[in-house]
Amino acid sequence: MKMILKFHQVASARSFSRSVVASKAIAMNVRHLTDSSSSPSTLEYVHPLSQIVLEHLQSTRQDWVKEKGLNENLKINPDGTFEMRFLSDPNDNSRIWTTYDKEEKKHWLIAHKGELVGQCLLQDNLKTAWQDEDSPTERITDAVDAMIERINASDNE
């Protein structure tokens, strides 16, 4: 199995966060999202790759999401990406989010917690579908699990 999630310490996590730019794209489909623990459901566009991440977090990592307060701070962006902020110091920029780099045509999952910053390439749209050996869903859920393990290890240090 290829490890595609790369985490590294950075001198300034804030400067890293500023360097990630999310482009706005035209919504292509609509997903119905519900979080039974919060407000009533709403219709919002969620990009299919972001949806895989969110569904995996909801179905298999729900306790971790609640423990970290991520379920309180989910924001779906108009381009179908999302952002979930950790419950911590309000001035802290710790969060998990997806983004789409329009110039490189790549979808990313990014995590920032304290001095820990990591990113995972969800899909490179410059490659054709048959150039990828692994199932996108399996690859993405493995990356989400690796991200959680790394965040937990960092919290325990």
Side-chain angles (χ1 to χ4, degrees), residues 7-11 114-117 150 154 157:
F7 279 92
H8 55 277
Q9 300 297 112
V10 294
E115 291 300 312
L116 180 70
V117 176
R150 185 67 176 125
S154 176
E157 291 177 354

Side-chain angles (χ1 to χ4, degrees), residues 7-154:
F7 279 92
H8 55 277
Q9 300 297 112
V10 294
S12 169
R14 189 174 302 266
S15 66
F16 174 84
S17 296
R18 286 186 194 137
S19 70
V20 178
V21 177
S23 301
K24 301 296 178 196
I26 297 172
M28 294 168 54
N29 59 13
V30 174
R31 300 284 186 250
H32 190 68
L33 295 180
T34 53
D35 180 358
S36 58
S37 66
S38 64
S39 62
S41 64
T42 58
L43 284 176
E44 295 177 295
Y45 168 73
V46 179
H47 189 280
L49 298 172
S50 291
Q51 183 177 356
I52 292 169
V53 173
L54 291 170
E55 285 179 352
H56 183 66
L57 287 170
Q58 183 178 16
S59 66
T60 65
R61 299 301 192 136
Q62 186 175 23
D63 291 340
W64 183 84
V65 169
K66 285 181 180 179
E67 174 190 327
K68 301 296 182 186
L70 294 166
N71 59 320
E72 303 286 327
N73 298 296
L74 173 62
K75 175 184 167 194
I76 305 293
N77 299 314
D79 66 352
T81 61
F82 73 86
E83 176 180 305
M84 301 170 81
R85 292 194 171 269
F86 289 93
L87 282 183
S88 57
D89 178 359
N91 298 323
D92 186 8
N93 203 22
S94 294
R95 59 196 170 127
I96 296 170
W97 74 101
T98 56
T99 187
Y100 177 69
D101 183 328
K102 192 174 180 179
E103 289 179 22
E104 292 187 13
K105 300 189 184 312
K106 294 180 181 178
H107 291 266
W108 294 93
L109 169 64
I110 304 169
H112 168 206
K113 184 125 184 347
E115 291 300 312
L116 180 70
V117 176
Q119 63 183 14
C120 167
L121 179 62
L122 296 178
Q123 183 171 325
D124 183 346
N125 288 336
L126 294 178
K127 289 184 177 180
T128 59
W130 54 86
Q131 287 178 301
D132 196 357
E133 297 173 9
D134 299 330
S135 147
T137 301
E138 182 180 321
R139 186 173 34 80
I140 292 168
T141 57
D142 288 348
V144 170
D145 290 340
M147 173 192 67
I148 289 170
E149 289 173 22
R150 185 67 176 125
I151 289 171
N152 287 340
S154 176

